[in-house]
């Protein structure tokens, strides 16, 4: 979501141009955490597992149409049209499809109301903060310039903001002090790759945890935070360095 917000503010005309700016840093942000996870969990990852028997979808039409909607949605999200348009159409298509094919799967609980209200409240707080001088205060600590130290300074501020509050409001708070394409990219690295320490740092993390809870999978937030403290600097610093080339 932060990428979609930033693309509108950056002087970039297409998703390909956006990928050319962020591509090398994105590779770093994928490879480094993967290597750390492999080292930490190498015994489990190298163990032999017997795969479960696969089963065919109970409703093939439901499966095929749902998959087609998801595949069609991906390019539409970066087509340039307002994001709410393709997502609303996709949601309505799936709603009608499930209403006819599997009505029992539809439930109000499918909507993450608590997360939506949380995010909305944080956005309101950030907008209120800007109105009372938050932008000027952040400008004093965000620095200026497109050199590696300056970009890392902004990314580090994004890391702190994301883990203290959440990455979406952290991005919105720092958006006015970015100023250039490279600085927007550094901010994206900070609020996205750096949102790995606190549980609330990313809405994606909260959604991920809700799915784990639904599957009766328990995790230790302390261990999660400890691994995050290790992974974040190992990821953000080289990602920003690659960006500054």
């Amino acid at each position: 979501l932060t990428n979609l917000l930033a693309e509108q503010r950056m002087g970039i005309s297409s998703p390909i141009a956006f990928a050319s700016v962020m591509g090398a840093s994105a590779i770093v942000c994928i490879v480094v955490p993967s290597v750390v996870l492999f080292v930490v969990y190498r015994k489990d990852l190298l163990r032999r597992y017997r795969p479960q028997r696969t089963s065919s979808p109970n409703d093939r039409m439901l499966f095929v149409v749902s998959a087609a909607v998801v595949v069609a949605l991906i390019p539409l999200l970066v087509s340039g049209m307002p994001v709410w348009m393709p997502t609303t159409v996709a949601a309505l298509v799936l709603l009608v499809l499930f209403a006819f094919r599997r009505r029992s799967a539809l439930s109000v609980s499918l909507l993450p109301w608590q997360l939506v209200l949380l995010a909305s409240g944080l956005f309101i707080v950030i907008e209120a903060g800007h109105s009372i001088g938050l932008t000027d205060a952040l400008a004093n600590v965000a620095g200026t310039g497109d050199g590696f130290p300056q970009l890392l300074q902004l990314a580090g501020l994004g890391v702190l903001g994301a883990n203290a509050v959440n990455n979406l409001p952290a991005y919105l708070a720092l958006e006015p002090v970015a100023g250039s394409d490279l600085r927007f990219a550094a901010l994206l690295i900070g609020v996205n790759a750096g949102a790995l320490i606190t549980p609330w740092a990313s809405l994606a993390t909260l959604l991920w945890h809700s799915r784990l809870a639904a599957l009766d999978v328990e995790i230790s937030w302390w261990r999660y935070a400890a691994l995050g403290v290790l992974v974040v600097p190992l990821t953000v610093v080289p990602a920003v360095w690659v960006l500054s080339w």
Side-chain angles (χ1 to χ4, degrees), residues 17-200:
F18 182 84
S20 68
V21 174
M22 300 296 302
S25 297
I27 292 173
V28 172
C29 293
I30 294 170
V31 171
V32 173
S34 298
V35 171
V36 173
L37 288 174
F38 177 78
V39 171
V40 173
Y41 295 104
R42 61 189 179 278
K43 292 183 179 180
D44 293 325
L45 293 173
L46 295 175
R47 185 184 307 168
R48 289 184 175 273
Y49 291 91
R50 180 176 298 175
Q52 295 182 348
R53 296 179 60 183
T54 59
S55 59
S56 301
N58 295 328
D59 189 328
R60 185 167 181 80
M61 178 182 175
L62 187 65
F63 173 77
V64 171
V65 176
S66 298
V69 169
V70 173
V71 171
L73 181 62
I74 293 173
L76 291 175
L77 290 175
V78 293
S79 65
M81 70 174 65
V83 174
W84 68 267
M85 295 176 63
T87 53
T88 300
V89 172
L92 290 175
V93 170
L94 292 176
L95 180 63
V96 172
L97 178 65
F98 273 82
F100 281 97
R101 306 290 297 190
R102 190 176 297 173
R103 185 173 299 180
S104 60
L106 297 177
S107 170
V108 176
S109 63
L110 292 174
L111 300 174
W113 293 111
Q114 293 178 331
L115 296 182
V116 171
L117 292 175
L118 172 64
S120 300
L122 292 173
F123 293 155
I124 293 173
V125 170
I126 294 300
E127 288 301 317
H130 283 310
S131 67
I132 60 174
L134 178 63
T135 302
D136 294 335
L138 291 175
N140 293 328
V141 294
T144 57
D146 293 341
F148 172 63
Q150 293 79 20
L151 295 177
L152 187 60
Q153 180 178 354
L154 179 59
L157 198 59
V159 171
L160 292 176
N163 287 286
V165 186
N166 180 266
N167 64 345
L168 284 173
Y171 167 80
L172 291 175
L174 291 165
E175 186 182 62
V177 301
S180 70
D181 288 356
L182 282 180
R183 289 180 62 80
F184 271 112
L187 176 57
L188 288 177
I189 292 171
V191 298
N192 290 329
L196 294 174
I197 300 175
T198 58
W200 55 82

